[in-house]
Each structure stands twice: as structure tokens, then as C-alpha cells.
Amino acid sequence: MTANRIPLAGVIGSPIAHSKSPQLHGYWLRKYGLPGYYIPMEIAADKLESALKTLPELGFVGVNVTIPYKEKVLEIADLITDRAAVIGAANTLIFRSDGKIHADNTDGYGFIANLRQKAPTWEPKAGPAVVLGAGGAARAIVASLIEAGCPEILITNRTRARADKLREDFGKRLSVIEWVQAGNVMEDAATVVNTTSLGMVGKPELRVPLDGLRPTTLVTDIVYTPLETKLLKTAREIGCPTVDGLGMLLHQAVPGFERWFNKRPEVDDALRAAVLR
């Protein structure tokens, strides 16, 4: 990119109108007085590769990737970080000056950074983590929990085969629990994470018994609509520290913004308020 060209970034997916990323990055661009724009782009599946090859020529320095293209972009990227390769998906693309597309996954980073900020006394090594769900978000979170030193991860999913695949991919620190048995392992958990869409506005409720939760167990939900899901409300009433899912969205955006606009942004209450408007 030429020195005087305004950097462009954005988010690609289908659908894309629901994305909060334009509010998030737009807030940072305004806050820091940086030249640049962040644009939502709905791209058809058969146009994905040609779009990614064309965007750098139009002045784009990178894009975020959302459903349904997080896995597909790995087939198009020239360079893939270790964590994106392990997770099998990318949410952040960097268009390098040498023409190469660099794929990364910052979801796990965002998950851990959110917990560190909102629950500073959380200790991942304190005991097992129970992870509900086995989709793409679960893969990123399992990878980050292993890296953070979590001694054991108990994974459970409505479709057992997907949980078994995670166990196969991530190894002996994972144990698979039947979905109907999920409530029975809560009392041993130091951390409980919902990575499913259950409990989200418009989705069925998460119906896992929580009466075994101890007040010392950290409970977090990647769902952020509503901000306090039924899982978090119940856990809070038991006395558990709880962390909502909005912070994961905010923190996962930090590495991409820094690479694209040469400024490491802060995640604070003003940013949360701006994104929730």
C-alpha cells in the first residue's frame, strides 16, 4: 500500500448485518483519531476467493471473517498461524505488503483476555474446566485453556461425535462427557464455559442442571445477547464469579486492529457501551 493511502479493513460473512465489529472498530478509529475505515461486506460463497484476492488492490489491509467462512479461508490463505491451524479456522486475515494473505485465529486470545480482565483472580490451573459445546468456538477455547495450563477439560455436546472429534484432535487432557451427564461434573469444575448458542435470544434455553456448582467456580458464556444469560444469572445467584460473552468479542478484535492500523487499542467500559448501543 502506498504511504498516503487510507487503510481499509472490514468483516466478511454471510449474513453480515448483525455484526457488531463495525461499531467496535469504528469506535477505536474515532477514539484514536486514526485514518481508516472498517466496512461490513456480505460476500457470496462462490465469490469468496476472488474477493479476497481483489480487496488488497482496493486498499484493504485485512478483514475479520465470520460465519460461514472461518474454515474456508484457510484454503485460500498463503500463511497460517499455528493457533489457526490447530483450531482449523481463522477469524482474522492480514493482507501483507508482499501480496500474501496471513490467516490467524484470535478467538482463544479474546476468551482468555476477557476472563483475565473481568475475573482477575481466575486461576486456570485450579481444576478441571467443563466446556459445553464442540463447535468452532469450542475448538478455539479448548486450545486456549490448554495453553493457559488447565489440567483437564471435560467436553460435552448434544452430538457426541463432535465432542469425540475434539478429544481426538486435542489429546489426553480432554475427556468426553455425555450431554445428559453434564450436570454431574459441575461440582468438580473450576471453570464452566458455554460455547453453544443455547440461551441466546431466539434460541432454546440451555437446560443443564447447575445445582452442583460451587461458589468458587468461574462461569462464563460466549453468548452476549442477552448479556446475562440464564446460565450466568443462575450461577451468580449461587455465588459464582461470572463473565459475560461481550468481552470475548471485544478482546478478539485487538490483535487485528493493531496489525491493520498500527495502534494497540484498549478494551474498556466506554467501548462496551458503544458496542451495546
Side-chain angles (χ1 to χ4, degrees):
M1 177 179 291
T2 55
N4 60 350
R5 204 168 183 186
I6 293 175
L8 305 175
V11 56
I12 60 171
S14 182
I16 204 64
H18 67 286
S19 176
K20 292 189 179 293
S21 292
Q23 287 165 260
L24 167 54
H25 289 272
Y27 172 86
W28 279 333
L29 287 167
R30 291 188 300 276
K31 176 180 177 178
Y32 299 114
L34 298 172
Y37 295 93
Y38 186 98
I39 303 154
M41 293 172 282
E42 182 154 345
I43 295 173
D46 61 344
K47 298 285 193 295
L48 180 63
E49 185 162 2
S50 60
L52 289 177
K53 303 290 187 187
T54 303
L55 287 173
E57 297 171 19
L58 302 177
F60 280 82
V61 290
V63 290
N64 286 123
V65 183
T66 188
I67 293 167
Y69 300 137
K70 286 187 171 190
E71 292 84 16
K72 184 71 177 171
V73 293
L74 293 185
E75 299 169 19
I76 300 167
D78 302 294
L79 302 161
I80 300 168
T81 62
D82 288 347
R83 60 187 178 185
V86 165
I87 294 161
N91 70 335
T92 304
L93 300 181
I94 296 141
F95 301 145
R96 293 174 19 146
S97 55
D98 63 3
K100 287 185 165 54
I101 297 174
H102 183 219
D104 193 10
N105 191 308
T106 64
D107 283 333
Y109 164 82
F111 172 75
I112 295 291
N114 184 34
L115 295 190
R116 297 279 188 216
Q117 183 178 49
K118 292 296 182 181
T121 60
W122 174 64
E123 179 46 73
K125 297 174 184 174
V130 174
V131 175
L132 307 171
R139 294 182 70 85
I141 285 166
V142 165
S144 69
L145 285 169
I146 290 171
E147 191 178 349
C150 184
E152 183 184 10
I153 297 168
L154 308 173
I155 192 127
T156 183
N157 192 57
R158 285 168 291 175
T159 308
R160 165 135 190 169
R162 294 190 77 176
D164 286 336
K165 181 71 168 72
L166 253 73
R167 167 71 175 77
E168 186 182 313
D169 291 349
F170 285 98
K172 61 185 180 183
R173 243 189 279 186
L174 267 68
S175 301
V176 176
I177 306 296
E178 293 291 347
W179 184 253
V180 293
Q181 298 296 325
N184 298 339
V185 294
M186 294 292 176
E187 62 188 39
D188 298 322
T191 310
V192 173
V193 189
N194 176 40
T195 75
T196 75
S197 61
L198 296 173
M200 186 187 291
V201 171
K203 301 282 187 181
E205 283 293 351
L206 175 68
R207 301 194 185 284
V208 171
L210 301 172
D211 46 336
L213 278 175
R214 295 173 301 166
T216 53
T217 301
L218 175 91
V219 180
T220 185
D221 199 326
I222 71 165
V223 169
Y224 56 85
T225 51
L227 265 183
E228 186 175 66
T229 59
K230 191 175 176 184
L231 167 67
L232 295 183
K233 182 174 186 292
T234 304
R236 180 173 56 77
E237 289 167 352
I238 290 169
C240 302
T242 62
V243 179
D244 67 57
L246 183 61
M248 178 176 167
L249 173 77
L250 306 182
H251 283 284
Q252 64 79 31
V254 169
F257 187 92
E258 183 177 22
R259 290 293 296 267
W260 301 327
F261 300 111
N262 297 310
K263 170 72 180 176
R264 188 166 185 85
E266 285 181 35
V267 173
D268 55 20
D269 289 341
L271 175 66
R272 282 176 67 92
V275 170
L276 287 171
R277 272 189 209 124

